[in-house]
Amino acid sequence: MRHFDLVIIGTGSGNSILDERFDDWNVAIVEKGVFGGTCLNVGCIPTKMFVHTANVASTPAAGTKLGVDSELHGVRWPEIRDRVFGRIDPIAAGGKRYRVEDCPNVTVFTGEAKFVGPKQLDTGTGEVITADRFVLAAGSRPVVPEIPGIVETGFHTNDTVMRLDELPRRMIVLGSGFVATEFAHVFSSFGVDVTLIARSGAVLRAEDEEVSARFTELAAQRWDLRLNRETVRAERVDGVVRLHLNGPNGAEVVEAEELLVAVGRTPNSDTLDVAATGVATHLDGRVVVDEFQRTGVDGIWALGDISSPFQLKHVANHESRVVQHNLLQPEKLLASDHRFVPHAVFSSPTIAAVGLTEQEARASGVNYVTAVQEYAGIAYGWAMEDTTGFCKLIADPETGRLLGAHIIGPEAGTLIQPLIQAMHFGQTARTIATGQYWIHPTMPELVENALLKLPVKH
Ligand SMILES: Cc1cc2nc3c(=O)[nH]c(=O)nc-3n(C[C@H](O)[C@H](O)[C@H](O)COP(=O)(O)OP(=O)(O)OC[C@H]3O[C@@H](n4cnc5c(N)ncnc54)[C@H](O)[C@@H]3O)c2cc1C
Ligand SMILES: NC(=O)c1ccc[n+]([C@@H]2O[C@H](COP(=O)([O-])OP(=O)(O)OC[C@H]3O[C@@H](n4cnc5c(N)ncnc54)[C@H](O)[C@@H]3O)[C@@H](O)[C@H]2O)c1
């Protein structure tokens, strides 16, 4: 059995661990798919390239209220798709070529890895290897709900939907989280009739309650939104997908040419069989790690979607840097910082958030105050004629420290950054609002005014 100093399973954030400091380590990388993982190939990067294009396609419609009449003549889907993947696919291929051809200390196994014993890994290539250290960076995969007929019906996930041969006339999107709302925005902007099915009474219901309520209201104006629906059965009749639903109005059927399933992601700890090497998992399948990204087995580390409650690329990257440090300096372990993990949803409108939602603040019993500033109340909001966006802040009235920040509206993901910074560096609401200039008239004045409205002492 070949033995290595280090084996990394998964080439998403796991691939960025290796740099010149590992040149004298004998390393193996095992990857079952293409190099670069979810974010590069089927996640963040291609979706945002499609989202940007969708935003451009939506511009003519947005101009009407400003007195600008223009028309969308159509979108050239094959060209858009090939432009996106024409950029991405060579990066994935180049990443693999670099490791195989230019890294003499690295052996790449192209196969689906599975532990077969303590620190013994079947690489899926016919070879079992052992190592002193392992990094579990095998990510997560889309959940397929147990709906009778769904497999026979055929469906897309984020793995396949961005490579469609042609745009369908109609699409059913099952789910109401990040993936569902981002793709609903993309495909509806490209002219596809979208039906979005949510189990509960709100879309993006993990967001702050006011943000989720506003998004749900806007989603209902844009898509055929079916709330409080249970999906009972799926079938395909004459090429058309039919989903049988149960909801407030009783039984109903929705139809479309394509079905996109977006009901969450599950960690790949089961397919990797981490139990065979003694690594424990939570009930939801996440590998158990401590603050240093150590599993319970000496020398086995985990990072990213396989172990994190935050299935986000910036978190996977952060944890990968922590694991990198801890592999190199085990005597000076670094802990991951998960105190203020922000996220953005790149739908329309965009949403960004960090810290507590109001429902979480209420449930936790902390003393808090809130302030809301609408885009409609700032000069740049007048310019955009925005009537639906807002920034909501939650703060400790005694210390002036922010507990949570939520923005729904244009450029939310960009606007929230000073608030993330303030939370990390312990700045008070008054300090951030009044201790610096805010350029007038810009969108960040939304944040400035929300901060000024907070009834806090500092
Ligand atoms: C549609 C979509 C959009 C997203 N957009 C964003 C976004 O805008 N911003 C954001 O922060 N996050 C986004 N995410 C989440 C982000 O993509 C993930 O959190 C991140 O990619 C996780 O990185 P990772 O390294 O843990 O896993 P991955 O990048 O998934 O890497 C895991 C790798 O392991 C390989 N693998 C799995 N099992 C095995 C095995 N047994 N043997 C060998 N190899 C194996 C896989 O093939 C894969 O290459 C998005 C996710 C999706 C699905
Ligand atoms: N912009 C970003 O950062 C971004 C974008 C996409 C994905 N992601 C990451 O990927 C993860 C997975 O995204 P996702 O949208 O698949 O999951 P999600 O957890 O965001 O949403 C899943 C949704 O599906 C619903 N659901 C679950 N089972 C269902 C069923 N049987 N029928 C109908 N609805 C059902 C849930 O109630 C939930 O609303 C996200 O949690 C996020 O961390 C991030």
Side-chain angles (χ1 to χ4, degrees):
M1 245 185 277
R2 267 202 276 181
H3 184 80
F4 292 87
D5 297 323
L6 168 66
V7 173
I8 298 172
I9 304 157
T11 61
S13 294
N15 190 42
S16 40
I17 290 175
L18 299 182
D19 62 16
E20 64 290 345
R21 288 170 295 174
F22 291 87
D23 281 354
D24 57 353
W25 292 44
N26 184 17
V27 182
I29 293 182
V30 194
E31 171 55 63
K32 76 179 169 77
V34 285
F35 258 54
T38 302
C39 181
L40 174 67
N41 295 294
V42 290
C44 337
I45 296 179
T47 54
K48 269 77 250 185
M49 292 174 80
F50 283 109
V51 165
H52 179 77
T53 310
N55 293 346
V56 172
S58 310
T59 305
T64 312
K65 67 180 174 189
L66 304 175
V68 177
D69 295 322
S70 59
E71 224 178 299
L72 176 68
H73 294 296
V75 296
R76 300 191 296 277
W77 168 259
E79 203 177 302
I80 296 169
R81 180 199 59 206
D82 295 348
R83 172 173 56 78
V84 169
F85 290 106
R87 176 169 285 217
I88 287 170
D89 293 346
I91 299 174
K96 180 170 186 178
R97 198 166 43 243
Y98 169 69
R99 286 288 178 228
V100 171
E101 293 175 11
D102 299 336
C103 301
N105 63 318
V106 178
T107 306
V108 174
F109 293 92
T110 303
E112 180 158 7
K114 203 177 166 85
F115 282 98
V116 288
K119 291 193 168 179
Q120 286 184 10
L121 189 76
D122 180 340
T123 57
T125 63
E127 186 171 348
V128 175
I129 58 175
T130 58
D132 296 328
R133 306 167 198 82
F134 286 85
V135 173
L136 315 182
S140 61
R141 63 182 184 276
V143 168
V144 179
E146 285 181 17
I147 296 168
I150 194 158
V151 174
E152 300 76 11
T153 300
F155 58 88
H156 288 280
T157 65
N158 66 290
D159 289 342
T160 54
V161 77
M162 290 182 271
R163 303 230 186 206
L164 284 170
D165 289 336
E166 55 186 33
L167 284 178
R169 187 164 70 80
R170 298 169 297 177
M171 181 179 286
I172 299 169
V173 179
L174 182 62
S176 52
F178 283 67
V179 174
T181 54
E182 290 185 355
F183 279 124
H185 168 50
V186 167
F187 286 107
S188 61
S189 300
F190 291 168
V192 176
D193 283 338
V194 169
T195 301
L196 193 127
I197 297 164
R199 276 191 310 191
S200 71
V203 181
L204 291 170
R205 73 191 162 126
E207 299 297 330
D208 179 84
E209 56 202 13
E210 286 182 72
V211 171
S212 167
R214 180 62 54 88
F215 191 91
T216 304
E217 193 185 309
L218 297 171
Q221 293 167 18
R222 199 165 171 212
W223 307 315
D224 177 359
L225 179 60
R226 310 283 174 120
L227 299 173
N228 297 305
R229 298 306 201 273
E230 180 202 354
T231 309
V232 182
R233 185 162 67 84
E235 60 180 345
R236 193 179 283 269
V237 180
D238 296 335
V240 173
V241 177
R242 290 164 56 87
L243 277 198
H244 295 257
L245 310 174
N246 248 335
N249 309 322
E252 64 196 14
V253 180
V254 288
E255 290 187 347
E257 284 64 42
E258 299 290 0
L259 167 64
L260 171 66
V261 170
V263 297
R265 295 178 66 81
T266 190
N268 287 326
S269 55
D270 53 352
T271 47
L272 184 56
D273 200 358
V274 298
T277 189
V279 166
T281 50
H282 295 281
L283 281 178
D284 62 6
R286 275 178 304 119
V287 165
V288 177
V289 286
D290 65 10
E291 71 267 41
F292 306 114
Q293 302 299 137
R294 287 184 300 199
T295 70
V297 178
D298 188 39
I300 304 190
W301 311 75
L303 63 90
D305 282 14
I306 199 168
S307 55
S308 183
F310 310 100
Q311 296 178 327
L312 296 165
K313 182 61 173 171
H314 39 277
V315 176
N317 284 345
H318 169 77
E319 293 176 356
S320 146
R321 287 190 291 270
V322 168
V323 170
Q324 181 192 53
H325 170 99
N326 291 345
L327 284 167
L328 291 166
Q329 299 192 51
E331 72 294 346
K332 271 203 296 190
L333 289 179
L334 201 65
S336 287
D337 182 353
H338 293 138
R339 287 171 307 149
F340 310 110
V341 175
H343 68 265
V345 186
F346 300 88
S347 185
S348 180
T350 46
I351 290 172
V354 58
L356 296 182
T357 61
E358 183 159 6
Q359 58 272 30
E360 286 168 345
R362 199 165 46 233
S364 74
V366 291
N367 188 19
Y368 72 91
V369 289
T370 66
V372 173
Q373 174 63 49
E374 308 255 337
Y375 283 68
I378 60 158
Y380 207 86
W382 302 350
M384 295 186 296
E385 289 292 348
D386 188 283
T387 54
T388 57
F390 61 85
C391 170
K392 173 175 174 179
L393 301 180
I394 302 170
D396 180 327
E398 295 302 320
T399 64
R401 294 271 183 98
L402 290 171
L403 300 170
H406 306 271
I407 302 181
I408 175 169
E411 300 297 340
T414 305
L415 292 176
I416 202 161
Q417 194 62 41
L419 299 170
I420 300 169
Q421 189 165 334
M423 288 173 81
H424 269 278
F425 297 112
Q427 292 167 327
T428 68
R430 287 280 167 273
T431 309
I432 326 160
T434 60
Q436 61 182 325
Y437 281 110
W438 297 79
I439 299 173
H440 178 73
T442 59
M443 271 197 253
E445 285 181 322
L446 176 83
V447 171
E448 179 196 15
N449 287 338
L451 287 164
L452 288 171
K453 279 186 177 176
L454 273 172
V456 289
K457 291 188 179 152
H458 302 282

